[in-house]
Amino acid sequence: MKILVTGGAGFIGSNFIRHILATGKDYSVVNYDKLTYAGNLENLASVADNPAYLFVKGDICDAGHVEAAMRDCSAIVHFAAESHVDRSIYAPRSCVETNVTGTLVLLETARKLGVARFVHISSDEVYGDMFPEMFAGEDSPLRPSSPYSASKAGADLLVQAYVRTYGFPAVITRSSNNYGPFQFPEKFLPLMISRALDDKPLPIYGAGEEQRHWLHVEDHCRGLLLVLERGQIGEVYNLGGTDIERNIAVARKLLRILGKPESLISFVQDRPGHDRRYALRRDKIEKDLGWKPRIPLEDGLWQTINWYQDNAEWLSKVRGGEYQSYYERYYGNRDSSLLEIARSKPQPS
Ligand code: NAD
Ligand code: TYD
């Protein structure tokens, strides 16, 4: 089966491509990726020469190019997105263009070409934050808080509209926060690990009391393959993580593993609209497809920290160039507040 994977040069997409090619099953992959700051072909160096793998550079908003790349593919696994909440706060337009318009282009092209299966990768963030003890099920209302999560929710609704209106063969997955090898160090865990490795301050937003539900990317990819192979058309599946933890507790945990002092923790200006707690129910996918995450956070943290230590060259390359200016813009003058940055740039491209 030939599969078009969008956003395959990013964190989860590249883990998924390696995972699917390692199954030994009859899969071939076209990786369609624009190579934004978050896309990195070095993530796929181990499969670059695999005859079942092909990379095509392109933008999911470019309908003509998407159609050429999608031809002959019988399934789509759609990861491509602007995936970072903080960036979406100061650049909402590019986030909506890729996440909503790009998804629409893919849906329309796949419908036209008669693609047999479309797996749309979404996020727990579409449910908004959960009160203590509450968990989001697949039928919970969508209450997104950030431009990123609003754009993901918009894309989910488009997918559902295509299923209902056109009988389009799509499945939606919504997962918890992922972590693991090859994650770009703008996200919480790789940012904290890379800063701690350099003995630099760890910027914790607010008081660090927000909670995230953590899922190792290998568990996620295993679940996605099951959904691709056996998920019911028209259904939504939550892929909930193993541990729900406060950010400050995770930061302390990784400092302990690394043998670094807690004095590295630095509380900085909070994120505007910061979601307090994510928590997903995953009983549906457990029951229907027999999927459960297997890697507890403590084990996954050890493995991930080891990976970043062993891949110092990868880390130093991705932290050059654009990353430097991003980091300075966001954290260099954090006292001026992210909120002010967001207000002063209401509609950048
Ligand atoms: P990422 O930022 O690491 O990778 C995104 C990839 O998409 C990059 O390779 C980038 O070049 C590509 N891309 C961006 N815009 C594109 C465009 N217009 N056309 C083609 N390619 C484009 O993201 P990730 O963390 O791997 O997330 C992948 C997907 O999973 C996203 O849809 C995200 O919303 C979802 N998700 C992520 C998490 C998480 O914790 N990282 C959790 C739940 C859901
Ligand atoms: P992030 O990795 O951006 O994922 P998301 O916001 O999509 O869940 O952030 C995870 C949590 O970590 C979130 O509560 C915000 C917090 N955070 C910090 O405290 N400091 C940081 O520098 C970053 C990037 C995130």
Side-chain angles (χ1 to χ4, degrees), residues 9-274:
F11 163 50
I12 308 174
S14 62
N15 276 282
F16 180 75
I17 290 174
R18 282 192 308 279
H19 181 80
I20 199 168
L21 292 177
T23 58
K25 296 185 184 171
D26 184 26
Y27 286 119
S28 64
V29 170
V30 177
N31 172 15
Y32 187 84
D33 197 300
K34 186 180 172 184
L35 297 184
T36 67
Y37 74 92
N40 181 358
L41 288 180
E42 287 187 26
N43 298 356
L44 291 154
S46 65
V47 297
D49 296 328
N50 187 324
Y53 169 76
L54 176 72
F55 173 67
V56 176
K57 184 171 181 203
D59 187 335
I60 56 169
C61 298
D62 179 344
H65 200 223
V66 163
E67 184 171 337
M70 198 183 282
R71 214 164 273 290
D72 303 330
C73 292
S74 44
I76 316 294
V77 184
H78 172 34
F79 294 95
E82 287 294 336
S83 68
H84 191 33
V85 171
D86 292 331
R87 289 190 193 240
S88 82
I89 291 170
Y90 83 90
R93 179 167 293 185
S94 60
C95 182
V96 170
E97 271 164 13
T98 286
N99 299 1
V100 182
T101 309
T103 300
L104 178 65
V105 167
L106 290 167
L107 290 169
E108 202 41 32
T109 312
R111 185 168 81 87
K112 182 173 157 190
L113 295 180
V115 161
R117 183 166 275 253
F118 188 104
V119 181
H120 174 68
I121 312 300
S122 186
S123 163
D124 60 356
E125 303 201 20
V126 298
Y127 299 118
D129 44 10
M130 296 285 118
F131 289 114
E133 313 303 327
M134 277 181 67
F135 287 76
E138 286 82 356
D139 292 333
S140 296
L142 304 190
R143 293 171 40 253
S145 313
S146 68
Y148 163 72
S149 51
S151 70
K152 293 297 289 185
D156 286 19
L157 294 176
L158 271 174
V159 174
Q160 288 177 322
Y162 266 62
V163 171
R164 170 91 186 241
T165 307
Y166 305 112
F168 184 75
V171 188
I172 295 175
T173 64
R174 296 182 181 139
S175 89
S176 304
N177 280 66
N178 280 223
Y179 69 102
F182 297 100
Q183 188 168 30
F184 192 77
E186 64 185 357
K187 304 280 166 49
F188 181 73
L189 264 173
L191 179 69
M192 298 301 147
I193 292 170
S194 58
R195 302 279 300 170
L197 286 171
D198 289 347
D199 297 305
K200 297 241 172 78
L202 274 46
I204 304 291
Y205 295 164
E209 290 298 318
E210 285 70 24
Q211 296 177 24
R212 292 295 181 264
H213 197 173
W214 292 102
L215 175 66
H216 194 282
V217 68
E218 284 168 23
D219 278 328
H220 189 190
C221 291
R222 194 169 41 79
L224 291 178
L225 184 57
L226 283 175
V227 172
L228 173 67
E229 291 175 339
R230 306 209 325 259
Q232 284 291 311
I233 298 299
E235 293 297 321
V236 176
Y237 295 97
N238 283 351
L239 283 87
T242 49
D243 301 66
I244 298 175
E245 272 288 14
R246 291 176 309 140
N247 295 334
I248 186 68
V250 176
R252 287 194 179 118
K253 222 176 241 192
L254 70 90
L255 286 171
R256 199 188 65 238
I257 293 173
L258 282 165
K260 303 278 184 179
E262 283 197 12
S263 57
L264 284 180
I265 288 174
S266 163
F267 294 101
V268 300
Q269 179 74 37
D270 206 350
R271 169 190 284 173
H274 199 167

